[in-house]
Amino acid sequence: MTVESPEDYSSSKSTLVSLTFSNGLKELGEVVIELFPHVSQRAVDNFVCLCTGEVGRDSKQGPKLRYTGSNVYMIKTKWFEAGDITEFSGDGGDSIYGKDFVVDTAIMKHTGAGILSMVRNDENRCSSKFALTLQAVPELDNKYLVIGRVLGGMAVLTKIGNSENSNGIPTEMITISGCRRVSRGGRIPSKTLNDIIEERLANIDSVKATAQEKKLEVFDEDDDLLKKLKGKSKKKRAGVEVGVEPDSDEDDLYEKRKRAKQIATKTRRKFF
């Protein structure tokens, strides 16, 4: 049976995992991935265990098998690759079954952005290395094994895809700084915390700029009104000398406007 779209295999029984990516010390955000056990149980079990670090050590009996600390070693226009937990260059890799393991025949296509697939060698074997797509990648169909798709954190993939690289080799150190299994019903981030903070800061700046602009416009209007009222008040005060009764209401309005402007100016200096 050939299934072209990963969406055809989406199920409430599928497994969720999370990968957190960082660029140096700056966290790029969390990516939540839905895995499809019914496509390849062995590949999915391997991926989950590499996220949790619950099974085994590397082939040399060294550190625990886990994606945390590994890096993105290749960035292409349509996808990037990561998960080389031994050599960190794309030349290594490991698995909970040994250095590598035989996987099932690929039955799903790389139909768009956010598709997770395991890197396969010419002998139809996988290890820990994986690819995440930035758009449809038909050239990877029947070459890599699709085992999941991204549910949350697509903006993180875009940031990684836009990172500087030299002929596909990242010039920045982009790492998997955290990974875990996610329980069903948990929060799936559509935006990272950094994205939310940046948006809110930009929104605050925009509000301040708008408020300042509006206040300046109000002050300009007040200036015109104050000049007119001041002129009238001078005439009225001058009228007292020649026996003309001044308009006390306009004088009071002038003083109130003047005081309001002084308070507003102090407020603007305080907050802006």
Side-chain angles (χ1 to χ4, degrees):
M1 176 184 178
T2 299
V3 178
E4 295 187 356
S5 174
E7 286 75 12
D8 293 340
Y9 263 118
S10 180
S11 168
S12 59
K13 297 181 180 180
S14 57
T15 306
L16 300 182
V17 293
S18 163
L19 300 175
T20 300
F21 290 90
S22 296
N23 187 340
L25 297 177
K26 181 181 179 182
E27 183 177 303
L28 297 178
E30 182 182 26
V31 178
V32 174
I33 301 171
E34 178 184 31
L35 302 174
F36 308 138
H38 29 290
V39 174
S40 176
Q41 187 68 59
R42 282 170 61 83
V44 166
D45 288 345
N46 180 62
F47 197 91
V48 171
C49 289
L50 290 175
C51 285
T52 61
E54 62 190 282
V55 177
R57 297 182 179 275
D58 67 22
S59 301
K60 301 176 183 178
Q61 295 301 305
K64 284 187 175 182
L65 291 170
R66 195 166 192 177
Y67 280 131
T68 301
S70 62
N71 61 301
V72 174
Y73 60 82
M74 184 175 73
I75 300 175
K76 297 289 188 179
T77 303
K78 298 181 179 181
W79 79 95
F80 65 85
E81 294 184 13
D84 181 350
I85 60 177
T86 58
E87 301 298 329
F88 311 105
S89 62
D91 295 326
D94 212 334
S95 80
I96 63 173
Y97 309 113
K99 185 176 180 180
D100 55 26
F101 61 99
V102 177
V103 293
D104 305 276
T105 303
I107 60 174
M108 301 174 74
K109 309 293 184 181
H110 298 76
T111 54
I115 301 301
L116 168 72
S117 60
M118 300 304 297
V119 176
R120 294 193 305 177
N121 61 23
D122 295 335
E123 298 177 352
N124 199 35
R125 303 179 74 88
C126 292
S127 58
S128 54
K129 295 178 291 186
F130 65 87
L132 280 165
T133 62
L134 304 171
Q135 55 183 280
V137 194
E139 54 263 46
L140 293 185
D141 295 343
N142 302 316
K143 181 179 179 182
Y144 289 0
L145 177 67
V146 174
I147 63 167
R149 63 168 181 161
V150 172
L151 291 185
M154 285 297 300
V156 180
L157 270 61
T158 301
K159 289 179 182 178
I160 296 173
N162 291 335
S163 299
E164 294 183 6
N165 67 87
S166 177
N167 296 321
I169 307 300
T171 56
E172 301 171 297
M173 182 55 71
I174 301 173
T175 61
I176 298 174
S177 54
C179 47
R180 62 191 176 92
R181 186 167 186 163
V182 179
S183 61
R184 280 276 172 186
R187 182 185 65 85
I188 297 176
S190 58
K191 296 179 181 178
T192 67
L193 180 59
N194 286 337
D195 289 337
I196 294 172
I197 292 173
E198 289 174 6
E199 285 181 6
R200 290 187 177 178
L201 287 175
N203 186 50
I204 290 173
D205 291 338
S206 175
V207 169
K208 282 186 175 181
T210 302
Q212 188 172 15
E213 182 180 347
K214 287 184 177 179
K215 283 188 176 182
L216 289 173
E217 289 175 357
V218 172
F219 293 155
D220 291 339
E221 292 174 1
D222 284 347
D223 287 339
D224 293 338
L225 182 57
L226 284 169
K227 287 176 183 177
K228 291 178 182 179
L229 291 172
K230 190 173 182 180
K232 288 183 179 181
S233 182
K234 284 182 178 179
K235 290 180 182 179
K236 295 298 181 182
R237 283 194 291 272
V240 172
E241 298 176 1
V242 294
V244 178
E245 185 68 24
D247 189 341
S248 60
D249 290 339
E250 288 193 355
D251 282 342
D252 291 342
L253 180 59
Y254 167 71
E255 292 301 331
K256 288 179 180 178
R257 288 278 187 172
K258 185 176 180 180
R259 179 60 180 159
K261 182 180 179 181
Q262 290 172 347
I263 294 173
T265 301
K266 288 181 181 179
T267 302
R268 183 177 64 174
R269 288 174 180 170
K270 181 178 180 181
F271 291 101
F272 295 99

